[in-house]
Amino acid sequence: MTRLASLIGLLALLGACDQYSMANQKKYKAYSEAELFADGSSMQQPVQGTVWRGERAERAVLENRPPMTIGLLQRGQERFDIFCAPCHGRAGDGQGVIVQRGFPPPPSYHTDALRNAPDQHFLDVIQNGYGIMYSYAARVPPADRWAIVAYIRALQLGQHAMVADLPEGLRRPLQEQPR
């Protein structure tokens, strides 16, 4: 008997819920007028100093360049081949497969301007996009951005390396080879 009374009481409580008013509560929709705010718009800027969840952690990663390791370069090559090579080409010359199909070519990483650009420039371009390149911030995590920058630097060094720049132990065998 108590079970039956409990079941009837539970059904009565469930019947008292008004799902219609819960789903259709009063709210402002984007771009609608709102008398509540001085400017009359429902779209308001966030309060000064507001940070999105994860911003501090992302900023900490971006502010601290990781040490150059073979693992970082390998990760950078992998991420570069996935995200960058379709437009920039695997050599970073701006002649990727997308360009071969009529898309405007991006700049080559091997120009003086980009060889002399600070690492922050590449991080900013990945984060915010540049020209017709859209932002990759949602696709490439901050640590992978550093890996891509490291790999771009390796590509640049590979294209413009001079034998005289090599350490003596590596330079001598190259100079002794017959041409």
Side-chain angles (χ1 to χ4, degrees):
M1 188 66 174
T2 27
R3 283 190 181 182
L4 181 60
S6 297
L7 184 61
I8 292 173
L10 182 62
L11 288 174
L13 283 175
L14 286 176
C17 291
D18 183 3
Q19 290 184 359
Y20 179 78
S21 64
M22 290 176 67
N24 295 307
Q25 52 188 295
K26 293 181 180 180
K27 61 185 172 237
Y28 288 119
K29 294 187 178 181
Y31 303 106
S32 65
E33 291 184 16
E35 303 96 28
L36 177 65
F37 301 109
D39 64 358
S41 173
S42 64
M43 300 283 285
Q44 298 293 305
Q45 291 293 322
V47 175
Q48 183 80 20
T50 300
V51 294
W52 50 270
R53 184 180 303 176
E55 179 179 5
R56 289 185 178 144
E58 181 175 306
R59 193 178 306 155
V61 171
L62 291 173
E63 289 174 354
N64 298 308
R65 181 189 179 114
M68 184 66 71
T69 63
I70 193 67
L72 182 72
L73 287 172
Q74 289 170 336
R75 178 69 176 183
Q77 180 180 17
E78 178 189 57
R79 302 286 95 187
F80 181 90
D81 287 347
I82 292 168
F83 296 109
C84 310
C87 296
H88 289 276
R90 295 199 62 196
D93 57 4
Q95 296 300 314
V97 294
I98 302 300
V99 174
Q100 295 169 10
R101 288 169 175 73
F103 199 79
S108 170
Y109 292 129
H110 308 296
T111 63
D112 287 339
L114 289 181
R115 271 199 317 275
N116 296 323
D119 292 344
Q120 189 64 46
H121 168 75
F122 296 104
L123 289 172
D124 290 343
V125 170
I126 295 169
Q127 170 78 29
N128 304 313
Y130 186 82
I132 61 173
M133 177 181 154
Y134 54 85
S135 168
Y136 277 81
R139 297 166 186 82
V140 180
D144 285 346
R145 295 178 208 163
W146 275 117
I148 290 170
V149 171
Y151 185 69
I152 289 171
R153 293 304 193 194
L155 286 174
Q156 291 172 328
L157 286 172
Q159 290 289 317
H160 298 281
M162 302 297 228
V163 174
D165 295 336
L166 293 172
E168 182 65 33
L170 296 173
R171 188 178 340 136
R172 191 175 306 131
L174 290 174
Q175 292 171 332
E176 294 172 359
Q177 289 180 357
R179 292 183 183 195

